[in-house]
Amino acid sequence: FPTFEKIYRRIPASFFEVCGFALLELMIGLLLISQFTVLLWREDRHGNLFFATGILLVLFALLYIGFCLLRGDDKRGSSRLLVTDIAFFFFLVWCGISVAFSPNPAYSFWGSAYRKEGFITYLIYAAVLISARAVHSPRYQRILLWSLGGVGCLLSAFTFIASEPTWKWILADCGIFLGWEMIAVYNSVFFNKNHLAYFLTMAILALAGMFLFGKRTGQKLLALFLFTFA
């Protein structure tokens, strides 16, 4: 049987970048997908989609960690150990100990349906960060930032429309978006305003970055407009 290192030698480095980019794009788009499933079919499947995508991200992160450890020819710095990596590792150990000695290990691992603050959620977001480390292309990075900002603005637009009774009546009268009653006013598909605010904070920071570091005037103006709107 070939060693793991030989197996990794057969996998091109570009695979990890493309795969990491695709999974991150999917994770960003889940909220928009959830918005449409609610509006069109009155079905909120974000939790199921989140954990399904999260498991894929965790598996990819493990594969990428193995790539970084076994292949020392990656010159782009992805395998370089950072102080934050050490901090996240010790937090991972502490979370594992907490779950093991918890009076309710299942709850500690999965978390509540409302907050989803369990150990599995930490693993998923840790995998998101690791997957982002695999994306080196400035083009892919810009697409991810625009996607994050764009989804935030679209959710803001849906939330604005959902908060206006006239718009809701017009759309319902036309037989469009019949699932408005499942969307709380000013919350989009989130449980409360804080959750939407947390997401929009990330979205507007991404748009601020595109405004500050964008090279084209049109892109900078678009980023500024979307930033202001969000």
Side-chain angles (χ1 to χ4, degrees):
F1 295 96
T3 63
F4 283 108
E5 185 175 358
K6 288 182 179 179
I7 294 175
Y8 274 112
R9 292 288 177 187
R10 298 174 181 175
I11 304 176
S14 58
F15 163 81
F16 294 96
E17 182 168 39
V18 173
C19 189
F21 167 75
L23 288 173
L24 291 173
E25 277 286 285
L26 179 59
M27 180 61 80
I28 292 172
L30 286 184
L31 284 171
L32 192 59
I33 294 173
S34 177
Q35 181 84 88
F36 277 100
T37 60
V38 166
L39 294 175
L40 297 176
W41 300 293
R42 292 187 175 93
E43 293 286 342
D44 184 5
R45 298 299 182 185
H46 180 260
N48 297 334
L49 294 172
F50 173 81
F51 283 110
T53 305
I55 291 173
L56 292 177
L57 277 162
V58 171
L59 294 176
F60 171 78
L62 292 173
L63 186 66
Y64 183 62
I65 289 173
F67 169 78
C68 294
L69 292 175
L70 296 177
R71 282 190 59 170
D73 59 347
D74 187 7
K75 305 301 183 182
R76 296 172 295 183
S78 62
S79 58
R80 188 166 44 119
L81 193 64
L82 303 177
V83 174
T84 49
D85 297 331
I86 300 174
F88 281 128
F89 173 75
F90 279 109
F91 190 57
L92 172 69
V93 173
W94 179 250
C95 288
I97 294 173
S98 299
V99 172
F101 290 92
S102 170
N104 190 343
Y107 179 88
S108 299
F109 185 82
W110 293 106
S112 67
Y114 174 68
R115 293 185 178 89
K116 298 182 177 66
E117 75 281 41
F119 186 41
I120 185 65
T121 301
Y122 167 78
L123 292 178
I124 290 173
Y125 283 116
V128 168
L129 292 173
I130 293 171
S131 300
R133 292 276 293 276
V135 180
H136 302 277
S137 167
R139 177 173 174 268
Y140 284 163
Q141 292 170 355
R142 287 194 299 270
I143 293 174
L144 286 170
L145 290 174
W146 277 114
S147 298
L148 183 60
V151 168
C153 288
L154 287 172
L155 293 184
S156 298
F158 283 123
T159 303
F160 176 75
I161 295 173
S163 67
E164 296 296 328
T166 304
W167 275 106
K168 293 171 65 174
W169 177 81
I170 292 174
L171 293 175
D173 191 58
C174 297
I176 302 174
F177 293 164
L178 301 177
W180 283 120
E181 64 273 11
M182 294 183 63
I183 299 178
V185 176
Y186 298 123
N187 296 355
S188 184
V189 294
F190 297 91
F191 284 115
N192 59 47
K193 296 178 180 65
N194 280 347
H195 295 177
L196 175 60
Y198 296 149
F199 176 72
L200 286 183
T201 298
M202 295 187 290
I204 63 176
L205 286 174
L207 292 168
M210 296 310 299
F211 171 74
L212 292 173
F213 299 104
K215 297 181 179 180
R216 297 180 182 178
T217 303
Q219 291 180 349
K220 293 173 75 73
L221 291 176
L222 177 60
L224 180 60
F225 170 75
L226 295 177
F227 172 89
T228 304
F229 175 74

